[in-house]
Amino acid sequence: MELTATVPSTSGEIQWKQLWSLVALYASVIIGWIAYYNYQPILLHKYNFTDLTLFLFIAQGIIMVVTPPIAGLLGDRFRKSKGNRLPIISAGISAAAMVFMSVAFTLIMDPGETFKWILPILIVFWLASMSIFTSPAISTIDLFAPANKLPRAMAIITIVYGALYALEPVIVDLVDFLGAPLTFVVGGVITAGSGFLMKKNMGKSLDGIVTDVKKEDTKKSDYTYAFIVGLAFGISTTILFNLFPNWLEPKIGHVFDVGSGVIISVVLFLSAVFSLPISRIVEKRPLYISLLVSIVAIFAIIFAIYFVESSYLTLALLLLFSFFYSMVSVCGLPLALSVINDKNKVFGVGIFFAGFELPNGILEAILVAQGLY
């Protein structure tokens, strides 16, 4: 017999307060990434570190692939020894907030030649700390939603994900208005605040949950399956963010006089709009069927978008892509969770995120090496 963190079986309902705390933390991660991608090239140029761009992207790819499974192992160890995974989440959040503040202080002090090398080091530490707490935090979603309603809980995360990235141009303008030092101060405050909110709302819930004792889950974890699901989701996301802009602007940008950023924002906004209705549909069907259909459809649509020349047909294909991308977003993690033994849950989520991040890490490094990023 062992103590395991399980969803209370009495209600069978989503615990919205805890879920929104998780969503707030995830939103802070997204805002942090938007700020990072906006300011990384600016800081590298200002302090004459442009020759480190490729190194930082390679380091980012390695960190984003390797850190989630490591954080997952630590999270599962804390679940077993402490009763929940909050210590590793809190440690990652604290480190990320501290690095945010350290970068802000360094920029305010305007380091000279002797101390400017602290910036690339802080960037690497920030990447690692952000990655450390993300997968253990997201893995808590199965504590606050019963298995049959996980797609609906994921739909909320998808809405926030899509909405924030759809608003990226606005967020970037705000970041530019605030300036680098104040942006990193705000980033630290948001990260620390969302972490405190999560700990406050989830801590009491977890303390009550871990007293439940159930028979050990003897199901064998299928990490390969979880990795492949994350990989498929990651490939479609990588193509959306890194390849679609160059493909779509010549085909439809001139028709509506919009740039590639606006086009991608619309796709993400539509995905967010579709997510909740789709979650209600997939809850009534086997998740693996919904995921298989959506992945096959996505790659068929990507293939068609690449070769189709008609602007209006491309628009129709983008609408379909938004629909099926939303379906993958809603189904992916719940399906990965379903094939992982409960005692290895956080590690399984880490494997899923490793698969998700791998295509992006490889493609971004290639694009930077070719001078195309």
Side-chain angles (χ1 to χ4, degrees), residues 133-337:
F133 71 80
T134 301
S135 55
I138 295 297
S139 71
T140 62
I141 192 171
D142 73 322
L143 301 178
F144 311 120
N148 65 325
K149 293 183 180 178
L150 272 177
R152 197 175 307 179
M154 280 303 303
I156 303 300
I157 292 180
T158 301
I159 290 171
V160 172
Y161 173 90
L164 285 176
Y165 273 113
L167 292 172
E168 182 173 359
V170 177
I171 296 174
V172 168
D173 287 342
L174 178 60
V175 166
D176 289 336
F177 173 77
L178 292 176
L182 189 55
T183 293
F184 283 98
V185 169
V186 172
V189 171
I190 291 175
T191 302
S194 61
F196 174 78
L197 181 66
M198 180 179 180
K199 185 176 181 180
K200 179 182 177 182
N201 288 336
M202 290 189 177
K204 293 180 180 179
S205 178
L206 288 173
D207 289 340
I209 292 172
V210 295
T211 58
D212 290 345
V213 180
K214 72 171 187 177
K215 187 176 180 180
E216 182 177 356
D217 186 358
T218 58
K219 175 178 61 182
K220 184 177 180 180
S221 297
D222 193 340
Y223 299 118
T224 302
Y225 194 105
F227 180 82
I228 291 174
V229 171
L231 185 66
F233 185 20
I235 291 173
S236 57
T237 302
T238 299
I239 292 173
L240 169 63
F241 281 99
N242 294 295
L243 298 182
F244 269 13
N246 291 332
W247 294 0
L248 297 175
E249 190 163 356
K251 295 182 180 183
I252 61 177
H254 66 284
V255 176
F256 300 96
D257 193 26
V258 294
S260 58
V262 174
I263 298 171
I264 301 304
S265 293
V266 171
V267 171
L268 290 166
F269 175 77
L270 290 173
S271 297
V273 171
F274 288 139
S275 60
L276 200 55
I278 287 174
S279 70
R280 296 181 181 275
I281 294 173
V282 302
E283 284 175 354
K284 301 174 183 178
R285 294 168 175 78
L287 280 177
Y288 74 92
I289 293 179
S290 297
L291 187 71
L292 180 61
V293 169
S294 57
I295 288 175
V296 171
I298 277 179
F299 286 107
I301 292 167
I302 290 172
F303 183 81
I305 286 175
Y306 182 78
F307 287 102
V308 164
E309 296 297 333
S310 169
S311 298
Y312 293 101
L313 183 54
T314 300
L315 277 175
L317 289 169
L318 277 179
L319 182 64
L320 288 174
F321 179 90
S322 300
F323 179 87
F324 287 109
Y325 182 76
S326 181
M327 186 176 291
V328 172
S329 302
V330 167
C331 294
L333 184 59
L335 183 57
L337 285 169

Side-chain angles (χ1 to χ4, degrees), residues 11-254:
S11 66
E13 297 295 329
I14 295 174
Q15 298 181 42
W16 290 105
K17 185 177 180 180
Q18 289 79 7
L19 179 61
W20 281 114
S21 298
L22 175 60
V23 169
L25 180 63
Y26 190 59
S28 74
V29 172
I30 295 173
I31 294 171
W33 276 113
I34 292 174
Y36 168 76
Y37 272 105
N38 183 60
Y39 265 117
Q40 187 224 50
I42 296 173
L43 294 178
L44 293 181
H45 178 75
K46 179 178 180 180
Y47 294 101
N48 298 316
F49 284 130
T50 52
D51 56 333
L52 291 180
T53 302
L54 179 58
F55 164 77
L56 286 175
F57 271 95
I58 292 174
Q60 173 186 317
I62 293 173
I63 289 170
M64 297 302 293
V65 172
V66 173
T67 306
I70 294 174
L73 286 172
L74 294 174
D76 285 323
R77 181 172 297 180
F78 278 113
R79 288 176 72 206
K80 185 176 181 180
S81 62
K82 305 293 183 182
N84 63 62
R85 66 209 82 175
L86 281 180
I88 186 65
I89 299 172
S90 298
I93 292 170
S94 298
M98 181 181 67
V99 175
F100 263 124
M101 294 301 184
S102 299
V103 172
F105 179 76
T106 303
L107 294 174
I108 290 171
M109 296 300 294
D110 195 13
E113 290 296 319
T114 304
F115 297 100
K116 74 174 186 176
W117 283 94
I118 197 173
L119 283 174
I121 296 172
L122 287 174
I123 288 173
V124 171
F125 274 115
W126 181 83
L127 291 170
S129 59
M130 289 289 280
S131 184
I132 282 174
F133 71 80
T134 301
S135 55
I138 295 297
S139 71
T140 62
I141 192 171
D142 73 322
L143 301 178
F144 311 120
N148 65 325
K149 293 183 180 178
L150 272 177
R152 197 175 307 179
M154 280 303 303
I156 303 300
I157 292 180
T158 301
I159 290 171
V160 172
Y161 173 90
L164 285 176
Y165 273 113
L167 292 172
E168 182 173 359
V170 177
I171 296 174
V172 168
D173 287 342
L174 178 60
V175 166
D176 289 336
F177 173 77
L178 292 176
L182 189 55
T183 293
F184 283 98
V185 169
V186 172
V189 171
I190 291 175
T191 302
S194 61
F196 174 78
L197 181 66
M198 180 179 180
K199 185 176 181 180
K200 179 182 177 182
N201 288 336
M202 290 189 177
K204 293 180 180 179
S205 178
L206 288 173
D207 289 340
I209 292 172
V210 295
T211 58
D212 290 345
V213 180
K214 72 171 187 177
K215 187 176 180 180
E216 182 177 356
D217 186 358
T218 58
K219 175 178 61 182
K220 184 177 180 180
S221 297
D222 193 340
Y223 299 118
T224 302
Y225 194 105
F227 180 82
I228 291 174
V229 171
L231 185 66
F233 185 20
I235 291 173
S236 57
T237 302
T238 299
I239 292 173
L240 169 63
F241 281 99
N242 294 295
L243 298 182
F244 269 13
N246 291 332
W247 294 0
L248 297 175
E249 190 163 356
K251 295 182 180 183
I252 61 177
H254 66 284

